[in-house]
Amino acid sequence: MKLKVYADRMSQPSRAIIIFCKVNGIQFDEILINLAKRQQLSPEFKDINPLGKVPAVVDGRLKLFESHAILIYLASAFPSVADHWYPNDLSKRAKIHSVLDWHHTNLRPGAAGFVVNSVLAPFLGRALNLQAAAEAERLLTKSLASLETFWLKGDAKFLLGSNQPSIADLSLVCELMQLQVLDEKDRLRLLSPHKKVEEWIENTRKATMPHFDVVHETLFGAKDKFQKQREMGTISKPGLQSKM
Amino acid sequence: MKLKVYADRMSQPSRAIIIFCKVNGIQFDEILINLAKRQQLSPEFKDINPLGKVPAVVDGRLKLFESHAILIYLASAFPSVADHWYPNDLSKRAKIHSVLDWHHTNLRPGAAGFVVNSVLAPFLGRALNLQAAAEAERLLTKSLASLETFWLKGDAKFLLGSNQPSIADLSLVCELMQLQVLDEKDRLRLLSPHKKVEEWIENTRKATMPHFDVVHETLFGAKDKFQKQREMGTISKPGLQSKM
């Protein structure tokens, strides 16, 4: 029975799983769980993941959620996956676990916290929260500095001094790609002080093409939509001022 | 060269690593990194973990931090560790990764956020933050409910329907043990609605005795100290009122 991937391409860990499967020739059926329609809370999906989060996969009798756990499982269970994605070497593997764990409590809450609280919240049925966005921005900025000065070592193209991507590169880069829905000035303000991070995003994109761009089309569609809304807002501002 | 464990027994992931080594007969040297004295930020320790967090380990040429990554590494690298701690079976292992990942973004920020912001902050050089404590309490309560109704399935003694403990049991139970430093009424208010969780904490304690209690002595010392401070506060209150 083919692997089933329950995902919404607007979710960054969902994108990581889909790109990983495509790059590694893993056959799968993609089932859309539309977060804007709150389908992750439907009884049908809660039978897959009772905690109501995407992505989730079903492989035979195994139902699994949490994207890092899924990436590790797929890399271990499917023989088509090359070793560099999740090395057998214990020390290399340990370092990948370390950066994935760090991601959970640093880059992820920083990036997702900033994007959700400053842009996406209304589309998820919540209010914008600028104080939470400011706190998340501090964590994001600190995390980007740790990536630039520690995790991206020397001249290597990928995390941990590697010249080939691992599941950690894919997971963390997909996290950062969500910054695309920000106003371009905000995105550049956050990212452009970190040249190695910018190069690493591009290296990971190139290493997973054409799938990387194809799977991010949904995100780029959202980026255009938000940008148009901002431009309409910008156009109306002078009008508002002229009324004052 | 013997394994080196850099830890502060006041830190819950530090305790998990130390108990794991002792239970599994892994020889190690424990090096205290005193968090109250901010030794995690010293140049000597930053040579071990440039991000300045405990626990960290050094095993030969490998320097590693993030407690889940450390537990997985130790379970994989030391032949004395029984399979149930981190099973070779891919599906069982995947489920353990899943609960460990869930821990990062649910139980850990809930429990640690509540304890730090309502009790420990002054001892870490920060101010108490009751609003942050209230938000963390909501996440903690939700996480305890997920443990009770989902992760602790049926009549099994441990997580994921298992009758033997895994690294996830040890990590999550050590996380919850920090609630001991709360006022006893607060601790019981949070934990006592979750009978399975209470039994599971006791099951994990018993499965790792006597090391569990020995390694938690530092925490119980702190519990007594905080309790005495609370009692002194209670005694002084009527005095304050009588002056009004």
Side-chain angles (χ1 to χ4, degrees):
Chain A
M1 211 163 62
K2 217 194 280 183
L3 177 76
K4 287 188 168 53
V5 176
Y6 297 80
D8 182 335
R9 293 188 181 197
M10 273 303 287
S11 121
Q12 57 278 12
S14 292
R15 292 194 296 271
I17 303 296
I18 296 167
I19 293 168
F20 185 79
C21 288
K22 287 181 178 275
V23 168
N24 289 289
I26 297 172
Q27 298 295 311
F28 68 103
D29 289 323
E30 182 178 345
I31 298 113
L32 172 64
I33 302 297
N34 191 319
L35 298 178
K37 294 182 181 168
R38 301 178 78 72
Q39 289 177 346
Q40 78 275 22
L41 303 176
S42 72
E44 294 77 18
F45 183 65
K46 284 212 163 177
D47 185 47
I48 307 299
N49 177 5
L51 300 187
K53 294 268 174 79
V54 292
V57 299
V58 174
D59 189 31
R61 292 175 58 189
L62 177 67
K63 296 173 182 175
L64 188 65
F65 60 93
E66 285 288 347
S67 68
H68 293 171
I70 294 170
L71 288 168
I72 291 171
Y73 172 75
L74 296 176
S76 307
F78 286 81
S80 63
V81 180
D83 186 70
H84 62 83
W85 287 106
Y86 185 60
N88 264 312
D89 176 88
L90 283 188
S91 293
K92 288 183 184 171
R93 184 172 281 200
K95 291 282 191 178
I96 288 174
H97 290 150
S98 179
V99 69
L100 287 172
D101 286 330
W102 173 84
H103 180 204
H104 271 303
T105 48
N106 292 277
L107 187 65
R108 172 158 291 169
F114 184 66
V115 169
V116 167
N117 287 299
S118 67
V119 176
L120 289 186
F123 302 88
L124 302 169
R126 291 150 56 181
L128 292 178
N129 182 334
L130 296 185
Q131 192 193 334
E135 281 169 28
E137 183 180 334
R138 276 194 291 277
L139 184 54
L140 173 57
T141 301
K142 193 178 159 198
S143 301
L144 288 167
S146 295
L147 277 168
E148 182 82 7
T149 59
F150 175 65
W151 294 112
L152 292 165
K153 292 175 185 172
D155 295 325
K157 288 170 76 175
F158 299 101
L159 294 167
L160 303 164
S162 180
N163 281 314
Q164 288 183 294
S166 77
I167 54 173
D169 294 283
L170 186 55
S171 175
L172 274 66
V173 165
C174 283
E175 192 72 50
L176 283 175
M177 283 302 289
Q178 70 184 306
L179 301 181
Q180 289 287 347
V181 303
L182 299 176
D183 185 281
E184 196 63 7
K185 273 184 287 186
D186 276 335
R187 197 178 71 83
L188 292 176
R189 174 175 57 80
L190 289 162
L191 273 183
S192 64
H194 307 288
K195 294 301 170 204
K196 277 189 179 182
V197 172
E198 289 186 318
E199 282 170 29
W200 162 66
I201 292 172
E202 187 57 20
N203 291 337
T204 303
R205 176 179 166 265
K206 281 186 187 158
T208 55
M209 284 294 278
H211 311 292
F212 191 93
D213 279 3
V214 171
V215 175
H216 278 89
E217 274 170 14
T218 310
L219 183 77
F220 279 99
K223 175 190 175 80
D224 290 345
K225 196 179 75 178
F226 288 123
Q227 190 52 35
K228 276 182 192 141
Q229 289 179 350
R230 273 185 215 105
E231 283 163 13
M232 287 169 67
T234 311
I235 291 162
S236 69
K237 258 186 196 164
L240 279 171
Q241 285 172 339
S242 69
K243 284 180 191 168
M244 285 170 77
Chain B
M1 210 163 62
K2 216 194 281 182
L3 176 76
K4 286 187 167 56
V5 176
Y6 297 79
D8 182 333
R9 292 187 182 198
M10 274 302 287
S11 122
Q12 57 277 16
S14 291
R15 291 193 297 272
I17 303 296
I18 295 167
I19 293 167
F20 185 79
C21 288
K22 287 178 178 279
V23 168
N24 289 289
I26 296 172
Q27 299 295 310
F28 68 103
D29 290 323
E30 181 179 344
I31 297 111
L32 172 64
I33 303 297
N34 191 318
L35 298 177
K37 294 183 181 169
R38 301 178 77 72
Q39 288 177 347
Q40 78 275 23
L41 303 177
S42 71
E44 293 77 18
F45 182 65
K46 284 213 162 176
D47 184 47
I48 307 298
N49 177 3
L51 301 186
K53 295 267 175 77
V54 292
V57 299
V58 174
D59 189 31
R61 289 175 59 189
L62 176 68
K63 295 174 182 175
L64 187 64
F65 60 92
E66 285 290 345
S67 68
H68 293 171
I70 294 170
L71 287 168
I72 291 171
Y73 171 75
L74 295 176
S76 307
F78 287 81
S80 62
V81 180
D83 186 71
H84 63 83
W85 287 106
Y86 185 60
N88 263 313
D89 177 88
L90 282 187
S91 293
K92 288 184 184 172
R93 185 172 282 200
K95 291 283 192 178
I96 289 175
H97 290 150
S98 180
V99 68
L100 287 173
D101 286 331
W102 173 84
H103 179 205
H104 271 303
T105 47
N106 291 277
L107 187 66
R108 171 158 293 167
F114 184 65
V115 169
V116 166
N117 287 299
S118 68
V119 176
L120 290 187
F123 301 89
L124 302 169
R126 292 151 54 182
L128 291 178
N129 182 336
L130 296 185
Q131 191 193 335
E135 282 170 27
E137 184 178 335
R138 276 194 290 278
L139 184 54
L140 172 58
T141 301
K142 194 178 160 201
S143 302
L144 288 168
S146 295
L147 277 168
E148 183 81 6
T149 60
F150 176 65
W151 294 112
L152 291 166
K153 292 176 185 172
D155 296 325
K157 289 170 75 176
F158 299 101
L159 295 167
L160 303 164
S162 180
N163 281 313
Q164 287 183 294
S166 77
I167 55 173
D169 294 282
L170 187 55
S171 176
L172 273 65
V173 166
C174 283
E175 193 71 48
L176 283 174
M177 284 300 290
Q178 70 183 305
L179 301 181
Q180 291 285 348
V181 302
L182 300 175
D183 185 280
E184 195 64 5
K185 274 185 288 186
D186 276 335
R187 196 177 71 84
L188 292 175
R189 173 174 59 79
L190 290 162
L191 274 182
S192 64
H194 307 288
K195 294 302 171 202
K196 277 190 180 181
V197 172
E198 289 187 317
E199 282 169 29
W200 161 66
I201 292 172
E202 187 58 19
N203 291 338
T204 303
R205 176 179 166 265
K206 281 184 187 158
T208 55
M209 284 292 279
H211 310 293
F212 191 93
D213 279 4
V214 172
V215 175
H216 279 89
E217 274 171 13
T218 309
L219 183 77
F220 279 99
K223 175 189 175 79
D224 291 345
K225 195 178 75 178
F226 289 123
Q227 191 52 35
K228 278 185 191 140
Q229 289 178 351
R230 272 184 216 105
E231 283 163 13
M232 286 171 67
T234 311
I235 291 162
S236 70
K237 259 185 196 163
L240 279 170
Q241 286 170 340
S242 69
K243 284 180 191 166
M244 283 172 75

